[in-house]
Amino acid sequence: MKQKHIMQTVWLLTFGKVIAMGYGLLLNVSMVSTSNLRLGSYSQTLVILQLTSLIGLLLGSFLRFNWLEKINYGQLIMLANVALVFAIGSCFLGLPLGYTLFFKLIGIILSGYMAPKYYTDLVQVIDEEQLTRVDSLVNFVLLISAPLGILLTTICLQLFGLKTSWLLELGATLIFILAGEIVIYKNKH
């Protein structure tokens, strides 16, 4: 896995998922406390968010974009997180939910686009005998990262409050993007 740079992808996915889970929790808390981030009731807004995710995943999984085919997997992760930065920024600034939905949709489309590409690359790079172990390891790490992101965000909410937690989430995402780009650049050269 190390020789084929799969560990880099696993770490990028893990930290990306930690940040995304924190974003989801902060967005839910914000929807409860801020009317700007609701369309109708809270439950109606949750349905709209879930539909946005479903539509984004379907579009990303089934549509093929030529310019995205030229971008490597790590760069796709970074692009999805850039969309997340804009979504977090719109929440931090208190912009209406439409902005957040738009940027979330872009990030989800990119995530949906990555999934088939990831499994195709994994099958091509890993030997057949090791494929199940590698896939199990990656899924285990991603499974652990979800509660970790929620735990860290919950701690931030309890210690600092909503507005500061949004700022910390934004800072963590920007640091992740910068560090990810450095890792990707070093592995290319």
Side-chain angles (χ1 to χ4, degrees):
M1 286 178 67
K2 234 180 194 178
Q3 293 168 348
K4 311 266 186 190
H5 299 294
I6 293 187
M7 288 304 293
Q8 163 197 326
T9 303
V10 170
W11 287 116
L12 289 174
L13 283 171
T14 301
F15 290 119
K17 185 151 187 179
V18 166
I19 290 170
M21 294 306 291
Y23 166 74
L25 177 62
L26 284 174
L27 185 58
N28 277 318
V29 171
S30 293
M31 286 188 316
V32 170
S33 63
T34 308
S35 63
N36 237 14
L37 289 174
R38 281 193 307 261
L39 296 172
S41 69
Y42 173 75
S43 58
Q44 290 169 332
T45 307
L46 279 178
V47 169
I48 292 168
L49 282 171
Q50 294 304 318
L51 281 174
T52 303
S53 295
L54 176 67
I55 290 167
L57 285 172
L58 289 173
L59 287 174
S61 295
F62 292 113
L63 295 179
R64 289 290 152 240
F65 306 102
N66 290 335
W67 64 276
L68 283 177
E69 291 295 328
K70 298 172 186 166
I71 299 174
N72 70 28
Y73 194 73
Q75 292 299 119
L76 282 172
I77 294 171
M78 294 300 114
L79 277 175
N81 280 289
V82 167
L84 185 62
V85 164
F86 285 110
I88 292 169
S90 67
C91 290
F92 176 72
L93 295 172
L95 298 175
L97 185 63
Y99 292 100
T100 301
L101 287 174
F102 175 74
F103 293 121
K104 180 179 172 129
L105 180 64
I106 291 172
I108 295 289
I109 287 172
L110 290 169
S111 297
Y113 193 83
M114 284 187 280
K117 186 174 175 118
Y118 165 75
Y119 284 107
T120 301
D121 290 348
L122 194 65
V123 168
Q124 290 174 351
V125 171
I126 300 297
D127 296 330
E128 199 174 302
E129 303 85 38
Q130 304 297 323
L131 189 59
T132 305
R133 281 191 231 164
V134 170
D135 190 43
S136 296
L137 175 66
V138 170
N139 288 332
F140 174 72
V141 170
L142 289 176
L143 187 65
I144 288 176
S145 64
L148 180 63
I150 292 171
L151 176 68
L152 291 173
T153 304
T154 303
I155 291 169
C156 286
L157 278 168
Q158 292 297 315
L159 292 176
F160 306 114
L162 185 58
K163 197 75 164 171
T164 306
S165 294
W166 273 121
L167 193 58
L168 290 171
E169 182 79 9
L170 184 61
T173 307
L174 290 171
I175 290 170
F176 168 71
I177 290 171
L178 180 65
E181 287 297 328
I182 291 169
V183 168
I184 291 167
Y185 178 78
K186 283 186 176 182
N187 282 337
K188 278 185 178 177
H189 302 289

